[in-house]
């Protein structure tokens, strides 16, 4: 039966929600020949030991998971060297970030973050009724930490730092983080989003050492990237017990499924396998970036499983079209550039073949 009520009488979305940009996920492979490098997934197959654990848990999917994610939180706590009271888990690091914003921000409060950075930041902040305060990156693609500190006002409740930064791949250096944390008022929560930290090599930044010294620092991590659990959705925050308790209170009941919880525990036990896989990515990253620079491209020093090409919209379009013609999917960002995920050597060589001659691409 068709409603005869006038349109004005229908339920309406909040104005902030109606104006939100949709989160744009990287395109998935369209065939076996497609190189799907638009999403920052692990190109390795899941670890066999983890698959076995997930299969066993799948037979119990008619039962609710542990609501407090107790066993996984305890395993994570042992792994990073804190107590389980300092761990809050959620459906991916994005889910935990949503819990953080809900726990800390009231309507109209401000959240400062670098831009361009993770695309979900302004969306999650706006959904919560808070106000996004983006601060442009430096020309070097690093966070402009001095400008971010200057952007903090009496309404600021939260600062988001992404290191390595998505989509540029650049990490925050220890000295810069130290200076920034000293400048941030102690009542402002600083979230260090380390979704790609397992791929980091030689940065000199020990985030847990900073966490132990700065009570207003919260570390955000995920099993979606290096651990290869993107399809199961589990991430976690490391925060002071009072903050972590608030994050658990704002979590969706049973939001982390039982397969994800079991897989996270099993993944933490696979230390050697994880190291071998991330070492392989780091080696390919060095090779690919070096080759691109030799071909005339200006590529920043990525510490993630992807690399970044700063580009005008004209050049961005040329790059995406050239890659697409070679059956390669990459991620373009309007007004900023192109992010390309790393894969196996043969797939990376397909990208390098397309980008072999910088002069082919006329736009700057």
């Amino acid at each position: 039966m068709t409603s005869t009520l006038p349109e004005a009488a229908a339920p309406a979305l909040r104005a902030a929600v109606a104006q939100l940009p949709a989160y744009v996920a990287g395109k998935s492979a369209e065939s076996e020949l497609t190189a799907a490098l638009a999403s920052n997934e692990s190109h390795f197959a899941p670890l066999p030991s983890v698959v076995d654990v997930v299969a066993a848990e799948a037979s119990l999917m008619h039962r609710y998971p542990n609501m407090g994610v107790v066993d996984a939180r305890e395993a994570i706590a042992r792994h990073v060297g804190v107590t389980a009271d300092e761990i809050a888990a959620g459906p991916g690091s994005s889910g935990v970030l949503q819990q953080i914003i809900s726990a800390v921000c009231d309507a109209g409060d401000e959240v400062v973050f670098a831009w361009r950075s993770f695309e979900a930041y302004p969306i999650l902040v706006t959904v919560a009724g808070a106000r996004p305060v983006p601060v442009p990156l430096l020309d070097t693609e690093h966070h402009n930490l001095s400008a971010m500190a200057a952007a903090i006002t009496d309404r600021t409740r939260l600062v988001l730092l992404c290191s390595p930064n998505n989509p540029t791949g650049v990490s925050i250096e220890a000295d810069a983080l130290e200076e920034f944390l000293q400048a941030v008022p102690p009542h402002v929560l600083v979230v260090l989003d380390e979704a790609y930290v397992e791929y980091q090599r030689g940065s000199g930044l020990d985030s847990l050492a900073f966490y132990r010294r700065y009570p207003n620092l919260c570390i955000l991590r995920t099993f979606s990237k290096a651990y290869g659990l993107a399809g199961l959705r589990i991430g976690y925050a490391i925060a002071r017990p009072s903050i972590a308790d608030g994050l658990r209170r704002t979590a969706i009941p049973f939001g982390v499924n039982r397969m994800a919880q079991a897989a996270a525990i099993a993944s933490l036990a696979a230390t050697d396998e994880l190291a071998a896989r991330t070492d392989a990515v780091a080696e390919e990253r060095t090779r690919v970036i070096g080759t691109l620079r030799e071909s005339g491209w200006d590529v920043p020093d990525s510490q993630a499983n992807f690399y970044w090409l700063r580009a005008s919209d004209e050049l961005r379009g040329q790059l995406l079209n050239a890659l697409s013609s070679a059956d390669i999917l990459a991620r373009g960002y309007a007004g900023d550039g192109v992010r390309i995920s790393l894969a196996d050597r043969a797939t990376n060589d397909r990208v390098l073949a397309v980008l072999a001659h910088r002069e082919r691409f006329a736009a700057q």
Side-chain angles (χ1 to χ4, degrees), residues 68 73 84-89 99 241 243-251:
R73 284 174 43 224
D85 287 343
E86 295 169 90
I87 302 294
Q99 294 163 217
I243 297 294
D245 178 66
L247 307 191
R248 294 192 292 271
R249 290 173 184 267
T250 58

Side-chain angles (χ1 to χ4, degrees), residues 210-231:
F210 279 95
Y211 167 74
R212 294 183 180 100
R213 291 169 43 227
Y214 289 93
N216 62 328
L217 180 63
C218 168
I219 298 171
L220 188 61
R221 293 182 177 175
T222 185
F223 287 91
S224 294
K225 309 304 181 184
Y227 287 100
L229 303 186

Side-chain angles (χ1 to χ4, degrees), residues 24-28 34-39 307 309 316 319-324 327-333 337-341 351 355:
V24 180
K27 292 182 179 180
S28 299
T34 302
L37 308 182
S39 293
Y307 50 96
L309 301 177
R316 174 177 58 87
L319 287 168
L320 294 177
N321 288 337
L323 291 167
S324 180
D327 213 5
I328 299 167
L329 299 177
R331 180 67 183 275
Y333 295 84
V338 175
R339 186 194 70 197
I340 305 174
S341 296
V351 178
L355 304 179

